[in-house]
Amino acid sequence: MCNITIVPRSMCGFRVLVVLLFLSSSLTYGQVTPLTSSQNTHKIAGDVLRGAMPALALSSTFIWKDRQKGTYQFSKALAGTFALMYGLKLITNKERPNGENNNSFPSGHTSVAFASAAFVQKRYGWEFGIPAYLLAGYVGYTRIEANKHDSVDVLAGAAIGVGISYLFTKRYDEEKKLGISSGFIENTPIIGLTYKF
């Protein structure tokens, strides 16, 4: 367990994120049915985005400098997504469409991609959320195209990712640069303007 006096929360969350991503990649065993060139290209793109999307979502918290609150919120959202997703995989024990193993329901790649997209959208707005959701939708498509999941697995993964991210994420409100204040000094009404550089 991280000691907050020694390691900041953001580093603790980052370490948990790295461990969870490593564990999730170790649960795949190998492709049973050979993929076509097109399917393999989509599979590789989906695999890359599964790692890149959470990295970009986490990086966004440093770009906006939102005092580590976003980092902590994203770490909780991703950990919650992993916990629910792997719990459901163990309970349902659904066979993949390609017969590779019994980890089909829900789609982990899709869960992680949609958790990342939902975090970006809810935290920073739709102008960043729309491209993130498009990428997450493509990840879901790649999982169907690679014969790893069916549409039910992908839709469940998307719902889990969005739901858990919405549960833990709050909107980021940038500090106001211009402020107006009013009051009284010695029974004289005053109006003040402040501007933060």
Side-chain angles (χ1 to χ4, degrees):
M1 195 74 179
C2 292
N3 184 346
I4 294 176
T5 58
I6 297 172
V7 178
R9 276 189 186 177
S10 63
M11 288 305 296
C12 181
F14 180 72
R15 288 179 182 168
V16 169
L17 175 67
V18 169
V19 168
L20 289 173
L21 284 173
F22 174 76
L23 289 175
S24 69
S25 65
S26 67
L27 292 177
T28 57
Y29 305 111
Q31 186 67 33
V32 173
T33 307
L35 296 175
T36 65
S37 175
S38 174
Q39 288 174 321
N40 195 43
T41 301
H42 287 299
K43 180 189 175 302
I44 291 168
D47 290 344
V48 168
L49 283 173
R50 179 186 138 261
M53 288 191 70
L56 290 172
L58 186 65
S59 298
S60 72
T61 66
F62 297 107
I63 292 168
W64 271 276
K65 299 177 185 171
D66 59 1
R67 299 190 183 111
Q68 307 307 319
K69 290 179 184 176
T71 307
Y72 186 57
Q73 289 174 15
F74 181 66
S75 298
K76 290 190 299 185
L78 197 59
T81 299
F82 273 112
L84 182 57
M85 181 229 343
Y86 281 119
L88 285 171
K89 281 183 181 288
L90 290 172
I91 291 169
T92 58
N93 206 28
K94 180 182 173 189
E95 186 177 5
R96 290 188 187 270
N98 65 5
E100 178 182 11
N101 58 35
N102 291 338
N103 291 328
S104 187
F105 183 85
S107 169
H109 282 61
T110 308
S111 297
V112 170
F114 273 90
S116 303
F119 170 79
V120 168
Q121 178 268 310
K122 187 167 182 191
R123 187 93 177 136
Y124 304 113
W126 281 104
E127 69 180 290
F128 303 104
I130 289 173
Y133 277 124
L134 289 173
L135 287 173
Y138 176 70
V139 170
Y141 167 77
T142 67
R143 303 310 287 165
I144 294 170
E145 183 68 17
N147 206 24
K148 296 279 192 175
H149 297 284
D150 59 30
S151 58
V152 172
D153 301 337
V154 168
L155 289 174
I160 288 167
V162 171
I164 296 293
S165 271
Y166 265 62
L167 183 66
F168 289 109
T169 307
K170 291 181 175 54
R171 177 95 175 122
Y172 172 70
D173 293 318
E174 197 169 9
E175 289 183 11
K176 294 179 183 175
K177 291 191 176 233
L178 181 64
I180 299 175
S181 60
S182 63
F184 290 91
I185 295 180
E186 297 179 6
N187 295 328
T188 304
I190 61 161
I191 295 176
L193 294 174
T194 58
Y195 184 80
K196 295 181 183 177
F197 293 92

